[in-house]
Amino acid sequence: GSMEELSMTELLYSAASYHAIVKPVSVTMILAALATVFVNTEQIMEEYGQGMADAYQVLSLNPEVDSAGATFGKAVTNALVMVSVVGAMTFLIVLLYKYKCMKCLIGYMIFSSAALLGLLGGIMFDVAINKYRIPVSWPTFVLILWNFAAVGVVAIFYQKGIPPFVNQSYLVLTSVILSWQLSHFDEWTAWTLLAMLALYDLCAVLTPCGPLKLLVNLMQEDDSPDMPGLLYEAELPAEARRPRPLASRSNLGRSRTQSSSGSGTNNGGNGGGGSSGGGSRSRHSSSGSGGAVAGEAQPHDDA
């Protein structure tokens, strides 16, 4: 009965987690596709495509001269270089977080988020304004962009007094802006980079030595410092409760057994057993890896 109840709890929790993360991922994909189609012109694609090639590509692509095999090899090489840089930067973030260099990490994250929202977001908005001929003066444009970036940084990193949907919306917009920027790669680089990033994400999340896996494990430790902005926090229903880890259940069972066996004695064993069991439950409830009390008080999950 206990195992069946546990399996049902795990199933319900997994279903709630999946449902909570499907919505923001779907919204991000739809908005990124719409932005790529409707916030672009042929001239912008050519100009920005050349700029992206000059900035990011190690080997220049010339499909009109090179064969398909040679072009594919150069595109794969360029994608590998870019993904390697992303992986190295992710490992650097993991090391900074592991050794609690929080001032450096938070400073870097704030600067990168402000630059992405203010600079890249400004370029995207400027393209939309010029394409659809929206009458906006430069002072108004700069003021709107400044407020957009400033509120975004505060919503992502400060969070106090800000509704959760504002923070989540800015994280989604960050992904949309970055996707729009990367859409200006040429066709060969775009598809190879997409495939490489998909493989990298699988390795980073699922493998034991993956940087994102390591980062999530570090953030779930009891003494881990708070680091907003690294992960998207999806809200779960109040009735969704994270199942207890197997080790905690085993320790709790042994503590209860010891407490029951010593209940008829007066040598202090009963008090020791009861204290051990209570301590196990207390540590489990306060742990970031899935305490029942913590799950009820804060029904959200890091995704």
Side-chain angles (χ1 to χ4, degrees), residues 238-253:
E239 62 272 11
R241 299 177 61 180
R242 189 192 298 265
R244 292 179 177 179
L246 181 60
S248 297
R249 294 194 304 270
S250 300
N251 293 335
L252 182 58

Side-chain angles (χ1 to χ4, degrees), residues 100-121:
K100 296 180 174 57
C101 301
M102 300 308 298
K103 291 184 178 180
C104 295
L105 182 56
I106 293 176
Y108 163 75
M109 295 293 294
I110 291 177
F111 172 78
S112 61
S113 295
L116 193 148
L117 292 172
L119 182 60
L120 299 185

Side-chain angles (χ1 to χ4, degrees), residues 145-162:
L145 196 61
W146 166 262
N147 282 275
F148 174 74
V151 173
V153 171
V154 173
I156 293 173
F157 294 98
Y158 186 69
Q159 297 184 351
K160 295 181 180 180
I162 298 176

Side-chain angles (χ1 to χ4, degrees), residues 2-18 241-246 249:
S2 177
M3 293 302 295
E4 292 179 358
E5 181 181 355
L6 174 62
S7 300
M8 184 58 64
T9 302
E10 291 177 344
L11 178 62
L12 293 176
Y13 183 82
S14 299
S17 300
Y18 177 78
R241 299 177 61 180
R242 189 192 298 265
R244 292 179 177 179
L246 181 60
R249 294 194 304 270

Side-chain angles (χ1 to χ4, degrees), residues 173-195:
L173 288 176
T174 297
S175 300
V176 171
I177 293 172
L178 187 58
S179 299
W180 180 85
Q181 185 74 13
L182 295 179
S183 69
H184 294 93
F185 278 119
D186 60 90
E187 186 176 356
W188 284 93
T189 302
W191 282 107
T192 52
L193 180 60
L194 179 64

